Amino acid sequence: MILQIAVGLPFLVATLLAGTGRWLPRVAVDALATLTVAALIVLLGVVLASGGTTVWLGGWHEGVGIALEASPLSLGLALTVAAVALASLIVSWRYFAEVQAIFHALMLLFTGAMCAFVLTGDLFDAFVFFELMSVVAYALTGYKSEEPDTVHGALNFGIVNSLGAYFTLTGIALVYARTGQLGFTAIGKSLVRDDALVTLAFAFICTGFLVKAAAVPFHFWLADAHAVAPTPVCMLFSGVMVELGVFAVLRTYVLSFAHAIPASEVRTALLVFGSAAALLGGVMCVLQRHIKRLLAYSTISHVGLLLVGVGLLDKDALAGAATYFLGHAGVKAALFAGAGLLLNRFETVDEHDLHGRGRSMPVAGTIFLLGGLGLAGLPPYGTWAGKAVMEEAGGWWLTALAVTASALTAGAVLRVWLRVFRGAGTGSSADSGAREEAETRFKLSRLPWTMVAPGAVLALAGVLVGLLPGEVVGHAVASYTHLEGPAPTPWSSSGVLSGVLAVVLAFGVAVVSLRGRVPRAARLHRLHSGHIGDYVAWLVAGVAAFGVLLFT
């Protein structure tokens, strides 16, 4: 009963706020939304403490019923979603010149849909919550709809992700036609042999999830959406939403297709797509000066590393990926909170415009420094712990890939820290970025604690995740994938060395790019044209490429 209440609570309160919020004072709306998410965390924590459970809604069991499967892994993901949502709502207390209760209702719907998405045991039900999550995300991206750039970013987001969802729905239809089942486990019991239809169905289902995960070449929408979405929304987008796409691919294969499609075929496809995202995202990150776009491309790169860890389909690599998810959620949400501090203090997030202006913001500067070190994977960050375990499972090539991607993305963030908060390098140039409208009622001379504290706490949480005992994460993964074995540990000489090396290289990238010695890579910029037709063409090409890799 507790699990049903936890899943339904955000939707119930969101409905109440949508209907009655216009008559409530702002402080009451803020308090109600925040307390709802806090209650969600408590309820999920109670279920986790009890060891997890499986609930069949309406008393209907396997074959016709819909299950909520609260395993330690899915509960851990849901708790991470709720924790980042709580921080986002606290940040939003002083945001926006004008805000109505519909924003809080959308945030609760978004949080509830993501939690239900990871907890449901039914494939079609997962698609329903996936679409609810997406539709709410489109609305949140375009919340400031009076600005043309905002509408453009939201439309790109909506069109690309909707097309991906159509592919997923087509795959679900093929699976249902073959098996007559929609539950993840029930499908897995029915699919016992590989054929073209089963492989095609898996490719279609995963396409929509990979679009949400912003895997290359499905990634184009992400930077456009992050550049215009409100800062509290970006914290959820990059902190948890895109990573759930990777989890969905893992769940679909492990629970439903593992007996029908050889692991070697799936491994090849996921490793290729993940590696491409890790490298391209890292390079594009270094080339940015718009801080929110910079952070968006770093998300693409690190989700690529997460996809590689999942794609190995190895027990230790999956445990490392789970730790990496937790650590990255804290670090990336903290960095977007820091970007919001800059936007609302100086009405710009252009790195060159902000040259030296962050000296009076020590907390924001600390967030960027800690965030950069976290992206590099400095021990004992959660990103380092997860990456070290994945590298041990993947071998030298994964170590090289992870160090490269981490150094590029962390170097870009550390460059922002050096230029904005330490006054290094050069400042504004002739092609200075355009001014942006602050999200607060007035330009802030002092930042309220509600904007500062969540980012600081999230940055600290990114460090503490790395100190989690390996047995905890290993048990959660084993209970979900049924892959047993000793708990992995990141504290090896090679793991520590790769983390330190990535930090050193990151500072090198920061210094070199600070001096303007990075090539412009105009061809890469032209690929990210902002034209929806180009993005759709790349989506179709990506679907074809994923299918070819699965069939070869």
Side-chain angles (χ1 to χ4, degrees):
M1 188 66 180
I2 296 177
L3 184 60
Q4 294 98 309
I5 294 174
V7 171
L9 182 62
F11 299 106
L12 176 61
V13 178
T15 303
L16 293 175
L17 285 177
T20 64
R22 71 188 68 180
W23 295 293
L24 296 176
R26 170 69 187 274
V27 64
V29 175
D30 284 334
L32 182 57
T34 305
L35 289 174
T36 298
V37 177
L40 173 63
I41 293 174
V42 172
L43 292 172
L44 292 173
V46 170
V47 178
L48 180 61
S50 67
T53 184
T54 298
V55 177
W56 291 93
L57 300 180
W60 297 90
H61 289 273
E62 187 171 333
V64 294
I66 296 175
L68 295 176
E69 297 181 350
S71 68
L73 179 61
S74 59
L75 283 169
L77 296 177
L79 278 167
T80 305
V81 169
V84 176
L86 180 63
S88 300
L89 283 170
I90 293 175
V91 168
S92 70
W93 286 358
R94 293 289 299 275
Y95 263 66
F96 305 115
E98 294 181 5
V99 67
Q100 298 176 354
I102 193 62
F103 172 79
H104 301 78
L106 289 171
M107 290 287 280
L108 289 177
L109 286 174
F110 192 40
T111 303
M114 286 190 287
C115 289
F117 177 71
V118 300
L119 292 172
T120 183
D122 182 87
L123 178 58
F124 184 76
D125 211 35
F127 170 77
V128 170
F129 287 118
F130 177 84
E131 276 300 277
L132 176 59
M133 174 174 61
S134 300
V135 170
V136 175
Y138 309 152
L140 287 170
T141 301
Y143 188 77
K144 297 186 292 182
S145 57
E146 67 278 2
E147 300 177 14
D149 287 345
T150 299
V151 175
H152 181 263
L155 283 175
N156 283 352
F157 183 7
I159 292 173
V160 173
N161 279 260
S162 295
L163 290 174
Y166 292 144
F167 280 110
T168 296
L169 186 59
T170 301
I172 293 173
L174 293 176
V175 168
Y176 185 68
R178 170 58 62 86
T179 66
Q181 302 288 342
L182 288 174
F184 283 107
T185 304
I187 291 172
K189 293 177 180 178
S190 300
L191 293 178
V192 294
R193 63 184 179 88
D194 186 17
D195 58 32
L197 186 143
V198 171
T199 303
L200 184 63
F202 178 74
F204 280 167
I205 291 172
C206 288
T207 294
F209 298 147
L210 289 174
V211 170
K212 188 67 69 183
V216 172
F218 308 123
H219 67 287
F220 294 96
W221 63 270
L222 186 72
D224 293 343
H226 280 65
V228 298
T231 299
V233 176
C234 290
M235 293 170 64
L236 280 169
F237 281 3
S238 266
V240 288
M241 183 190 73
V242 293
E243 290 85 348
L244 293 186
V246 179
F247 167 74
V249 173
L250 170 66
R251 174 174 57 178
T252 302
Y253 178 72
V254 169
L255 298 184
S256 299
F257 288 87
H259 299 299
I261 303 178
S264 58
E265 298 176 5
V266 177
R267 184 179 295 115
T268 299
L270 296 184
L271 293 184
V272 168
F273 275 66
S275 299
L279 293 175
L280 180 62
V283 171
M284 289 299 298
C285 180
V286 175
L287 298 176
Q288 304 304 307
R289 56 186 284 183
H290 186 286
I291 295 176
K292 291 175 72 175
R293 282 187 177 273
L294 182 153
L295 295 177
Y297 281 112
S298 75
T299 297
I300 292 171
S301 181
H302 286 268
V303 170
L305 290 180
L306 185 64
L307 186 60
V308 168
V310 168
L312 290 174
L313 298 175
D314 173 84
K315 176 190 71 67
D316 290 350
L318 293 177
T323 305
Y324 198 86
F325 172 91
L326 297 176
H328 182 263
V331 169
K332 188 52 60 65
L335 283 170
F336 269 105
L341 297 178
L342 293 173
L343 175 60
N344 288 287
R345 181 71 177 272
F346 302 113
E347 297 182 336
T348 181
V349 285
D350 184 273
E351 179 186 336
H352 287 241
D353 282 353
L354 290 167
H355 177 253
R357 299 169 71 183
R359 289 192 181 97
S360 61
M361 303 172 66
V363 176
T366 301
I367 289 174
F368 269 87
L369 175 59
L370 293 178
L373 295 176
L375 292 184
L378 178 70
Y381 275 87
T383 47
W384 163 77
K387 186 173 63 173
V389 173
M390 290 191 293
E391 289 170 356
E392 188 70 23
W396 68 267
W397 71 269
L398 181 51
T399 300
L401 176 69
V403 169
T404 301
S406 299
L408 289 172
T409 55
V413 172
L414 291 173
R415 184 191 69 207
V416 172
W417 174 70
L418 288 171
R419 192 190 305 274
V420 175
F421 298 97
R422 308 302 298 175
T426 58
S428 299
S429 58
D431 60 340
S432 177
R435 307 293 293 179
E436 299 190 29
E437 182 181 348
E439 296 166 318
T440 50
R441 183 178 297 275
F442 304 105
K443 183 178 178 180
L444 297 175
S445 59
R446 295 184 60 187
L447 295 171
W449 72 268
T450 56
M451 290 185 182
V452 176
V457 171
L458 287 168
L460 179 61
V463 179
L464 296 179
V465 166
L467 301 178
L468 283 174
E471 293 79 4
V472 174
V473 180
H475 170 70
V477 171
S479 66
Y480 195 82
T481 62
H482 306 295
L483 298 173
E484 301 292 342
T489 175
W491 293 101
S492 63
S493 57
S494 60
V496 173
L497 180 62
S498 69
V500 174
L501 176 62
V503 173
V504 173
L505 292 176
F507 274 103
V509 170
V511 172
V512 171
S513 60
L514 193 67
R515 295 178 178 178
R517 297 180 182 176
V518 178
R520 294 185 62 85
R523 291 183 179 179
L524 287 179
H525 279 292
R526 284 199 294 269
L527 290 178
H528 301 77
S529 62
H531 299 303
I532 189 61
D534 294 343
Y535 294 179
V536 172
W538 279 108
L539 171 65
V540 175
V543 174
F546 191 73
V548 168
L549 290 171
L550 286 177
F551 277 101
T552 55

